Amino acid sequence: MRLTAHTDYALRILLHAAVDPDRLFSIAQVADAHAISRNHAMKVVNLLGNAGLLETVRGRGGGFRLGRPAIAITLGEVVRLTEPNLQPADCDNCLLRGACGLTALLRKAMGAFLAELDAYTLADAANGTRLPLPLPAVG
């Protein structure tokens, strides 16, 4: 399974916040560091903020930081939040729908994939992660 760019960006942004959890990051800093458009980064930060994974601070000198401890955020939670479709095949539009032995196997495989991601936290992923370059402080 290939994750969407949206999920990739969400994981990168969360990793940034997890590496230095007390620091306030700006969307521009993280977008520039990862070569993500600021518009995409803003959408991702908004989604993660609404879900409580990030805390956002408005206004001059604002930015974002983790909304919960990294150890309390599973990678499976992030993937479920950001992936629009966790169905590995288009079973709904298949001629064999309802009479196919593959559907249950694919559902089981997706369950195993998500269960594996649920076994790891953002803290696990952040362990050993280093920010790509020195980023100036917000403000």
Side-chain angles (χ1 to χ4, degrees):
M1 171 179 184
R2 183 179 181 112
L3 299 175
T4 62
H6 189 72
T7 299
D8 179 29
Y9 299 162
L11 290 167
R12 291 184 204 192
I13 289 168
L14 286 168
L15 275 174
H16 241 89
V19 168
D20 196 353
D22 297 325
R23 185 171 178 183
L24 199 60
F25 290 96
S26 75
I27 289 171
Q29 287 172 324
V30 175
D32 291 347
H34 289 285
I36 300 169
S37 84
R38 290 181 186 188
N39 187 42
H40 280 12
M42 190 177 336
K43 288 177 185 176
V44 171
V45 167
N46 185 52
L47 175 70
L48 297 172
N50 288 337
L53 300 178
L54 291 178
E55 173 192 348
T56 57
V57 179
R58 296 174 82 80
R60 185 172 186 194
F64 64 87
R65 65 173 65 94
L66 283 184
R68 299 193 329 238
I71 198 160
I73 300 171
T74 69
L75 300 181
E77 176 184 8
V78 177
V79 169
R80 284 182 187 87
L81 174 68
T82 57
E83 280 297 310
N85 183 359
L86 288 171
Q87 201 174 317
D90 186 12
C91 294
D92 292 338
N93 294 313
C94 179
L95 174 68
L96 301 175
R97 183 176 69 177
C100 175
L102 187 58
T103 304
L105 298 175
L106 291 175
R107 190 177 313 115
K108 185 176 178 181
M110 182 56 66
F113 173 72
L114 291 170
E116 186 68 16
L117 290 177
D118 286 336
Y120 296 99
T121 67
L122 185 58
D124 295 324
N127 186 25
T129 298
R130 301 290 174 257
L131 296 180
L133 46 113
L135 298 173
V138 174

